[in-house]
Amino acid sequence: MEHVTQSPTQDGFVQNPYPFYDHIRPLGPLVWWQDYAMPVAAGHETVSALLRDNRFGRENPLGLTYPDRLAPFYAVEAHSMLELEPPRHTRLRSLVLRAFTTRRIAALEPEIAALCHQLIDAFPEHEFDLLELYAQKLPVIIIARLLGVPEEMAPELLAWSNAMVGMYQAARTPEMEQAACSASVEFTAFLKTYIAKRRTDPRDDLITNLIAAEQDGERLSTDELITTCILLLNAGHEATVHTLGNAVHTCLTQQITPTREPAFAEEALRHDPPLHMFTRFAMQDIDLYGHSFKTGDQVGLLLAAANRDPAVYPAPARFDPTRSGKTHTSFGGGIHFCVGAPLARMEISQALPILFDRCPNLTLAQPAKYANLYHFHGLERMMVTR
């Protein structure tokens, strides 16, 4: 196996990781990324196969160890279906899908469109940050409405989400860890109180539906409800913000006009996705792709590298919404395929064309810079004029 070195926090990589992916992809199905001390996969075929291979999972079969100071964060993670394997994962996901239905998401379309127009109406005439006033606000307000929490809570939800996802970043510091733990405590306390209210005063919202969801006589516990709400916010919000920001940036720099065709949203997700690496644990000893995995070993799946594999996508660096063929890996795959994919697709397919319809003269006021967020990939800000 080839060994490679590349700091995930080095600015050149942060701004454009794709040359590194192009370099390692031909080296074999797996390469050893020394900065992470683990093998990673960059080709579409290998990444897709590992996403669906039940011999690899999100839950460490040897158990998770962490310092006591991080206990508040991992107390939330302990009930996350994203971090669990069957049978717990199967039970949790089945219950969540009974409340988070495609039909319910589809019914949000006019509401999402109306919110897009409302946010654009509030744009100032002078230079402003499109991420702050549009890409960040849209998904967090929609998630707040979907959950049934007060819309005025959006700033707090956004702050808690940003702090918690900092735990997944290569640039993570002790200060970020403390912020994530504080956010976990505050978010949990808020949701515990709010869920207790909904148990006695049900409404037409996702929290009420999650409380009512039942399968084979089982329901979500309060801890599972809290973690599920946090997961839906953190995963759904963070990814959509980056996808919208990256897509707008691509459109502005390449003179592309978004359309409402589903293929446009799919190409936006493929071309410059919000999540670049997703890890898996070996659930057993296994020899694969010339490497001997021991139980508990990790492998990194480079989703963004798979999305630009020239063996699958001709001229992969080019934004081309007419593409057809194999599906991108931006939503993962297998049993952990993103439960929020229908909502993300709808938000993207509404937010991009409405923005460019309403603001045909939208222009970058300053060069945009990607933030030091890896494994995520998104802009620090995007200053524009309209």
Side-chain angles (χ1 to χ4, degrees):
M1 184 188 304
E2 296 279 354
H3 284 52
V4 296
T5 300
Q6 172 60 65
S7 168
T9 61
Q10 187 261 335
D11 189 61
F13 175 83
V14 169
Q15 298 310 311
N16 185 9
Y18 296 105
F20 173 68
Y21 300 153
D22 291 341
H23 167 66
I24 67 172
R25 199 183 295 108
L27 299 181
L30 296 175
V31 299
W32 186 268
W33 193 344
Q34 295 190 138
D35 303 78
Y36 280 101
M38 67 178 175
V40 297
H44 189 281
E45 181 179 355
T46 309
V47 169
S48 297
L50 288 170
L51 283 170
R52 291 164 175 80
D53 192 330
N54 60 15
R55 296 171 296 182
F56 293 85
R58 288 288 297 170
E59 186 175 5
N60 190 338
L62 302 181
L64 190 62
T65 59
Y66 49 83
D68 290 344
R69 62 188 176 82
L70 300 183
F73 175 82
Y74 287 105
V76 173
E77 291 286 279
H79 303 285
S80 172
M81 62 181 175
L82 182 62
E83 307 298 337
L84 298 173
E85 292 299 303
R88 285 192 68 195
H89 173 271
T90 306
R91 171 182 164 272
L92 280 173
R93 188 178 178 97
S94 296
L95 288 168
V96 169
L97 286 175
R98 286 174 174 263
F100 204 66
T101 63
T102 301
R103 186 173 65 177
R104 181 174 182 83
I105 300 306
L108 289 172
E109 183 173 348
E111 188 172 350
I112 291 172
L115 179 57
C116 289
H117 285 289
Q118 178 185 332
L119 294 174
I120 292 169
D121 288 340
F123 285 173
E125 293 300 324
H126 52 77
E127 180 181 315
F128 64 97
D129 183 359
L130 188 72
L131 294 185
E132 179 184 0
L133 298 186
Y134 194 64
Q136 291 179 356
K137 285 193 173 184
L138 175 67
V140 74
I141 291 173
I142 291 298
I143 285 287
R145 292 178 180 178
L146 190 62
L147 290 174
V149 302
E151 193 171 316
E152 56 269 24
M153 285 289 300
E156 285 87 351
L157 297 175
L158 179 59
W160 289 333
S161 175
N162 287 341
M164 292 184 73
V165 299
M167 291 290 284
Y168 302 105
Q169 295 170 17
R172 162 178 155 181
T173 64
E175 291 75 21
M176 292 169 67
E177 293 174 345
Q178 180 55 50
C181 289
S182 298
S184 300
V185 171
E186 293 168 12
F187 205 168
T188 297
F190 165 72
L191 284 171
K192 187 171 291 187
T193 301
Y194 205 80
I195 288 168
K197 291 179 181 178
R198 282 291 166 268
R199 289 191 187 277
T200 58
D201 181 21
R203 303 284 178 87
D204 183 20
D205 57 41
L206 187 58
I207 288 180
T208 299
N209 289 339
L210 286 169
I211 291 170
E214 185 173 3
Q215 181 174 330
D216 299 328
E218 289 200 42
R219 296 191 176 189
L220 294 168
S221 68
T222 297
D223 286 340
E224 290 170 341
L225 278 165
I226 289 170
T227 295
T228 298
C229 291
I230 291 175
L231 173 62
L232 291 174
L233 173 73
N234 291 358
H237 169 264
E238 191 77 12
T240 305
V241 170
H242 297 326
T243 301
L244 288 175
N246 296 355
V248 171
H249 182 254
T250 296
C251 290
L252 292 178
T253 55
Q254 299 187 26
Q255 290 78 54
I256 299 169
T257 301
T259 71
R260 287 178 168 78
E261 294 298 321
F264 195 95
E266 297 306 316
E267 180 68 350
L269 285 158
R270 180 205 70 85
H271 180 262
D272 201 15
L275 178 62
H276 278 216
M277 183 195 286
F278 207 36
T279 56
R280 290 286 195 274
F281 290 99
M283 307 304 287
Q284 61 190 66
D285 292 356
I286 179 174
D287 292 334
L288 198 63
Y289 302 119
H291 180 69
S292 293
F293 289 93
K294 299 299 182 184
T295 301
D297 285 353
Q298 280 190 289
V299 60
L301 309 182
L302 300 180
L303 308 180
N307 284 353
R308 292 205 183 185
D309 188 338
V312 177
Y313 307 104
R318 180 167 56 88
F319 190 100
D320 179 7
T322 67
R323 291 183 190 277
S324 61
K326 289 196 176 181
T327 305
H328 59 74
T329 63
S330 299
F331 289 125
I335 66 169
H336 289 291
F337 184 82
C338 178
V339 73
L343 178 59
R345 286 181 164 121
M346 178 171 293
E347 288 176 330
I348 295 163
S349 64
Q350 292 293 312
L352 291 175
I354 289 175
L355 174 66
F356 281 77
D357 286 347
R358 290 285 309 275
C359 303
N361 297 319
L362 194 69
T363 305
L364 285 174
Q366 305 172 18
K369 184 178 180 181
Y370 286 92
N372 188 7
L373 302 171
Y374 203 80
H375 307 166
F376 299 102
H377 185 64
L379 299 167
E380 285 183 350
R381 62 177 186 167
M382 184 162 32
M383 301 304 295
V384 299
T385 57
R386 52 182 302 204

